[in-house]
Amino acid sequence: MARRESYSDTFTGEADKGIRAILDGDEGEDNALRLRKILLKVINNELTPRQKQIIMLYYFKKKDTVRIGEELGITPQAVSAAMARARLRLYRILQYYI
């Protein structure tokens, strides 16, 4: 079966806005800096290696799911599924800090 090249998923939901707000927050604000450090620690220590790799490529390297899939040799749908599981795990852990 041929891969769909037109697939695109930009994760524009509330979860994505929340993570981007933490990562792109104002450097001068103590609370934003604290949350960013916690988020990075959770990414490094609590996610699977594949989830960590996908999160880093998506949020820090600004790649979309199609490009990530091509780079990792998986389908964009698999990237989306891993992102969803990673985000769920991040929010379950971060809810204790927020």
Side-chain angles (χ1 to χ4, degrees):
M1 179 179 275
R3 288 177 43 181
R4 285 179 49 189
E5 295 300 324
S6 63
Y7 181 83
S8 179
D9 191 354
T10 56
F11 293 110
T12 57
E14 292 301 316
D16 190 57
K17 289 178 187 175
I19 292 172
R20 287 192 189 279
I22 291 171
L23 292 174
D24 297 336
D26 185 15
E27 288 291 331
E29 190 177 324
D30 289 337
N31 195 36
L33 184 59
R34 181 180 146 269
L35 282 175
R36 194 170 310 114
K37 285 181 181 180
I38 291 168
L39 179 62
L40 290 172
K41 190 177 286 188
V42 170
I43 289 170
N44 284 323
N45 297 325
E46 300 295 331
L47 298 181
T48 66
R50 175 58 58 101
Q51 289 172 342
K52 178 182 172 184
Q53 188 177 26
I54 290 171
I55 291 288
M56 292 299 198
L57 288 171
Y58 186 79
Y59 288 106
F60 295 96
K61 301 291 184 182
K62 307 290 188 206
K63 294 186 178 187
D64 64 7
T65 57
V66 174
R67 300 288 179 261
I68 294 170
E70 289 172 356
E71 188 171 315
L72 300 179
I74 59 177
T75 65
Q77 292 84 353
V79 173
S80 295
M83 284 279 285
R85 286 189 300 272
R87 260 200 233 115
L88 180 61
R89 189 168 196 156
L90 288 173
Y91 271 101
R92 283 183 178 161
I93 294 168
L94 287 176
Q95 73 184 357
Y96 297 106
Y97 293 100
I98 297 176

